[in-house]
Amino acid sequence: MPPRLTKLWRPVAAATAVTAVTLGGTVIYSRANKNLSHDRALVPPRRDANGKIVPPAFPPIRSRAEQLAELRKHNAKDAEYDILIIGGGATGTGIALDAVTRGLKVALVERDDFSAGTSSKSTKLVHGGVRYLEKAVWNLDYPQLELVIEALRERRGFLNIAPHLSSSLPILLPLQSWFQAPYLWAGCKMYDLLAGSQGLESSYLLSRTKAIDAFPLLKRDKLVGALVYYDGQHNDSRMNVSLALTASLYGATVLNHVEVTALDKDADGKICGATVRDLMAGEESSSRPFSVRAKGVINATGPFADAIERMDDPQRKEIIAPASGAHVMLSGKLCPKGMGILDAATSDGRVVFVLPWQGMTVAGTTDNASAVEREPVARQDDVDFILKEVSKLLEPESVLTRDDVLATWSGIRPLVRDPKAGNTESLVRSHLVTVSPSGLLTCAGGKWTTYRQMAEDAVDEAIGAFGLTPRPVALPDISGHQLPSLTTDGRCRTLSTPVLGAHGFSTSLPSQLMEVYPIDADVAHHLATNYGDRAWAVLAASPSVSRVAPSFPFIESELRHAVRSEAACTAADVIARRMRLAFLDVDVALHALPRVIDVLAEELAWSESRKEQEWRDTVRFMRSMGLDEDKLGVTREDVVTGKVRARRALGAKEPAKDVEIPLGRELEAGAMRNAA
């Protein structure tokens, strides 16, 4: 074939394929079942004879002490787990839930907190990957296309099992010329079509006027209209914690702040467990390392997978190509109508998302090769890049500066290493499952959307590699309504297993909470969409519904609930990963920290010296959330006395209690209040 034709055949073939598939499948897709309504809960609330709601009576979460005692018991051949999982991120907790619902005996240990690493520092999307679809089509890359299809299927399952923590999200593609429309329209329709019956809403064209109505700050110059497509969005760390707690309620031993110090091997050199240490024990005798026996050990430590692999074999070749993804948190006024923007025409060819999230706006991301760090800090040049690219989408008077940034973070993506790839941006977010000669199973790569499929693949491999026998198991009722137990047949069932909080969730839950408790509408919405039906347990944890920060809907009873029922052990566990305040506004989080530490001290019986250490540790952690360098040495007294001031006002007028707030979109009122 002549060279010129060689250059042309791929785009021509790609365009032909997109057009044929799109036009041929539009009718089929239009008939797909896209019902994501949650008007009715799986388990509706009970009412007494007088019509008053009777809050559910949830089964208790086993305490940390109980689970540690259980872990210590499994230290011999005749008292061993089927699987010991190292790593409490999305992959590890997903594996734990999959394995325990197949009747396997499971333990999981996490060195830090659940989702302390990459799993809390995502772009908050549950998506197939429109940019991966474009690459698959233009490069005629069928394996990559299969990954997009898999992710689209998993996206729908994700939204089904965690409706309180996830929802569909419309994302707008601005059109600077109508010549762009056919190409982008075909791409969006193909994205719709590939989802098939698992699709969300259909993509559509938007007029210039309606695009500006959705984004009042959107740049008018050359704007002719927009395309809107749908993907999913979620609260990543709360989903991660929910997976861990669900696995625990179903019988798994699940512990954070427990570090693996060595892999244990038998006389034949086969891995038979691990030596672990409780990092919360301090100087006590219980802090001494102890052995945990298991038929198989799974390495699910994300970007730290190579470190665990080297515990097995110091000469092991690295399999992770770490890449940093920076994000910035901005005012909610950028996305006031619950719709995001995708900028597919950045200065260096990467895409940048601008998305509403928790009443604010998250923008990102970057994609650079990086080192593996426990608390990475977003690079200034990455933050500047994001601000510059987002500013290009806005009217000139709305150009963003560093002063507009409320928080920043960088997540280390555990991409699977490809020796042929010249940069990490070109790597597909696929995953691999591999078993070493000594029996260490490593599950690495992937992304949040496909965590469940990764877990299923890992457990399937573990069953064969470790000689395990899945068995029917009667799963206890966790809905709080004393339903009969559910007997499984030993096969994977996580695609249809609701996570903690999903059973009693519906669009009516906020009003039901307000019917029983004297809380504001934005607080009710926040509790419903962060805890699901466990919002009842949050409100029962303490009579205090005082706000932790005046400008946000977080309340004090969440702090106590986090310790008692969500395995929180430190202030950072609470302020960053149970409540998301550190991600939303790091300055406000700093000013809320004194009260957070005081409440945790009451719950955990901390000494004054421990409280002081907690202050230092949490302020240091906040550096990874974008806290200014000149505030890293601030003391509690500096904050309490007002010596250190926040970049923006902490106070805000609270909404009226009778405000109606639609579920499935962020609060417009809350977004504007938080942006004040």
Side-chain angles (χ1 to χ4, degrees):
M1 183 179 292
R4 290 184 64 187
L5 292 181
T6 301
K7 294 180 180 179
L8 287 173
W9 82 272
R10 283 181 180 269
V12 170
T16 302
V18 169
T19 303
V21 172
T22 301
L23 294 178
T26 299
V27 174
I28 296 174
Y29 178 77
S30 67
R31 296 175 181 174
N33 175 23
K34 296 182 284 293
N35 180 25
L36 273 174
S37 171
H38 297 291
D39 295 336
R40 293 178 59 84
L42 292 174
V43 185
R46 291 192 300 113
R47 293 181 181 270
D48 63 18
N50 298 317
K52 293 184 178 180
I53 291 176
V54 179
F58 298 112
I61 302 288
R62 285 178 295 163
S63 70
R64 177 180 177 80
E66 290 172 325
Q67 298 208 59
L68 271 170
E70 184 69 19
L71 193 68
R72 290 176 182 275
K73 289 179 184 177
H74 292 77
N75 59 1
K77 178 70 175 176
D78 58 351
E80 63 182 357
Y81 288 103
D82 289 323
I83 295 174
L84 172 62
I85 302 159
I86 308 172
T91 305
T93 54
I95 292 171
L97 180 57
D98 186 304
V100 76
T101 53
R102 296 201 210 189
L104 299 176
K105 198 169 187 179
V106 180
L108 178 149
V109 292
E110 159 61 43
R111 174 179 62 180
D112 203 313
D113 184 27
F114 307 122
S115 80
T118 305
S119 295
S120 65
K121 298 174 181 176
S122 71
T123 313
K124 322 305 179 191
L125 284 173
V126 185
H127 64 135
V130 288
R131 55 178 169 164
Y132 306 142
L133 173 60
E134 184 178 35
K135 290 178 184 177
V137 171
W138 280 93
N139 296 326
L140 298 182
D141 186 344
Y142 185 68
Q144 181 146 271
L145 183 64
E146 286 185 310
L147 289 169
V148 174
I149 295 171
E150 175 188 80
L152 288 171
R153 183 191 70 241
E154 290 296 318
R155 178 187 68 178
R156 179 58 180 261
F158 194 119
L159 271 60
N160 284 340
I161 65 172
H164 55 305
L165 297 173
S166 59
S167 61
S168 62
L169 175 71
I171 300 176
L172 180 143
L173 294 163
L175 296 174
Q176 303 299 320
S177 165
W178 283 117
F179 289 108
Q180 294 177 287
Y183 176 76
L184 293 176
W185 180 85
C188 287
K189 286 302 176 184
M190 188 175 187
Y191 195 61
D192 292 344
L193 177 63
L194 290 173
S197 62
Q198 302 302 305
L200 305 178
E201 301 295 324
S202 297
S203 54
Y204 59 90
L205 282 166
L206 204 61
S207 69
R208 181 180 188 273
T209 300
K210 290 187 176 180
I212 293 171
D213 180 61
F215 289 96
L217 300 182
L218 191 62
K219 189 175 182 180
R220 270 80 162 165
D221 184 39
K222 297 182 181 179
L223 181 71
V224 299
L227 268 162
V228 177
Y229 76 97
Y230 284 79
D231 252 325
Q233 187 179 55
H234 74 132
N235 188 330
D236 49 11
S237 73
R238 288 218 54 83
M239 179 65 177
N240 200 154
V241 170
S242 296
L243 289 169
L245 297 176
T246 306
S248 178
L249 282 169
Y250 284 147
T253 303
V254 180
L255 284 157
N256 53 354
H257 300 288
V258 172
E259 179 182 33
V260 170
T261 60
L263 297 176
D264 299 340
K265 297 183 179 181
D266 62 19
D268 297 322
K270 296 294 184 180
I271 292 175
C272 59
T275 299
V276 305
R277 182 167 63 97
D278 176 17
L279 298 179
M280 290 289 102
E283 301 299 322
E284 303 168 17
S285 60
S286 57
S287 68
R288 288 197 294 265
F290 60 95
S291 291
V292 179
R293 287 288 298 248
K295 294 175 183 175
V297 174
I298 296 180
N299 173 15
T301 53
F304 298 94
D306 286 327
I308 301 299
E309 289 253 316
R310 285 192 292 270
M311 282 187 182
D312 178 27
D313 178 1
Q315 305 305 316
R316 186 72 46 79
K317 184 178 179 181
E318 292 182 347
I319 61 171
I320 298 298
S324 65
H327 300 79
V328 301
M329 190 63 72
L330 302 165
S331 164
K333 68 182 180 182
L334 292 179
C335 299
K337 302 296 180 69
M339 183 181 288
I341 304 179
L342 169 60
D343 179 9
T346 62
S347 57
D348 67 354
R350 291 178 289 187
V351 300
V352 167
F353 288 96
V354 183
L355 308 171
W357 189 73
Q358 299 285 307
M360 309 299 278
T361 300
V362 59
T365 179
T366 58
D367 208 326
N368 302 309
S370 68
V372 176
E373 303 174 72
R374 290 184 66 171
E375 293 180 354
V377 176
R379 295 177 357 193
Q380 187 58 54
D381 59 336
D382 283 342
V383 172
D384 291 341
F385 166 79
I386 294 170
L387 293 176
K388 180 184 72 172
E389 297 302 329
V390 175
S391 293
K392 289 180 181 178
L393 299 170
L394 308 177
E395 284 286 86
E397 62 270 19
S398 300
V399 169
L400 301 170
T401 69
R402 190 66 176 80
D403 290 339
D404 294 302
V405 176
L406 304 176
T408 66
W409 66 88
S410 179
I412 306 298
R413 300 188 187 96
L415 308 184
V416 178
R417 186 175 296 278
D418 180 356
K420 298 178 182 178
N423 58 72
T424 63
E425 192 273 335
S426 66
L427 295 177
V428 176
R429 271 58 174 172
S430 57
H431 67 275
L432 66 82
V433 178
T434 182
V435 182
S436 74
S438 59
L440 176 66
L441 190 154
T442 295
C443 182
K447 60 181 181 179
W448 244 118
T449 307
T450 56
Y451 86 90
R452 194 211 62 82
Q453 185 63 59
M454 292 173 64
E456 181 178 348
D457 292 347
V459 176
D460 285 346
E461 183 68 24
I463 289 169
F466 304 145
L468 306 178
T469 303
R471 46 193 174 270
V473 60
L475 298 178
D477 171 52
I478 65 172
S479 72
H481 289 274
Q482 291 74 54
L483 300 178
S485 61
L486 176 65
T487 300
T488 66
D489 59 6
R491 291 181 293 180
C492 176
R493 57 171 294 110
T494 50
L495 196 57
S496 59
T497 300
V499 301
L500 184 86
H503 299 82
F505 174 78
S506 73
T507 53
S508 301
L509 182 56
S511 60
Q512 292 165 359
L513 296 172
M514 293 170 66
E515 188 178 331
V516 177
Y517 290 96
I519 55 176
D520 294 327
D522 65 326
V523 172
H525 177 272
H526 156 69
L527 294 176
T529 55
N530 281 268
Y531 299 90
D533 60 22
R534 257 42 181 199
W536 295 109
V538 173
L539 290 165
S542 168
S544 174
V545 293
S546 300
R547 295 181 185 238
V548 175
S551 52
F552 288 90
F554 306 113
I555 58 175
E556 191 170 296
S557 58
E558 291 179 72
L559 307 178
R560 301 188 188 279
H561 177 78
V563 174
R564 297 174 189 175
S565 300
E566 293 191 333
C569 299
T570 71
D573 291 353
V574 173
I575 209 164
R577 296 177 286 272
R578 304 307 184 279
M579 302 188 314
R580 306 310 305 274
L581 189 54
F583 281 81
L584 296 171
D585 192 320
V586 70
D587 261 15
V588 174
L590 177 66
H591 284 76
L593 187 56
R595 184 55 185 157
V596 171
I597 290 178
D598 285 348
V599 172
L600 266 63
E602 293 174 12
E603 292 290 322
L604 296 168
W606 285 347
S607 64
E608 285 301 315
S609 62
R610 172 60 196 274
K611 289 172 65 175
E612 292 170 4
Q613 184 62 49
E614 197 68 26
W615 176 271
R616 292 190 294 271
D617 290 346
T618 311
V619 172
R620 186 184 67 248
F621 159 78
M622 286 183 179
R623 178 173 178 265
S624 68
M625 293 286 99
L627 188 67
D628 292 339
E629 292 284 340
D630 61 0
K631 293 182 179 178
L632 296 179
V634 299
T635 65
R636 176 191 173 107
E637 184 179 2
D638 291 336
V639 171
V640 172
T641 60
K643 184 177 179 180
V644 175
R645 296 186 178 277
R647 286 199 302 248
R648 66 190 188 99
L650 296 180
K653 183 179 179 181
E654 296 183 2
K657 294 184 180 181
D658 59 352
V659 172
E660 286 294 327
I661 300 177
L663 209 56
R665 54 171 286 183
E666 295 298 341
L667 300 175
E668 182 174 350
M672 296 306 293
R673 185 180 67 254
N674 291 347

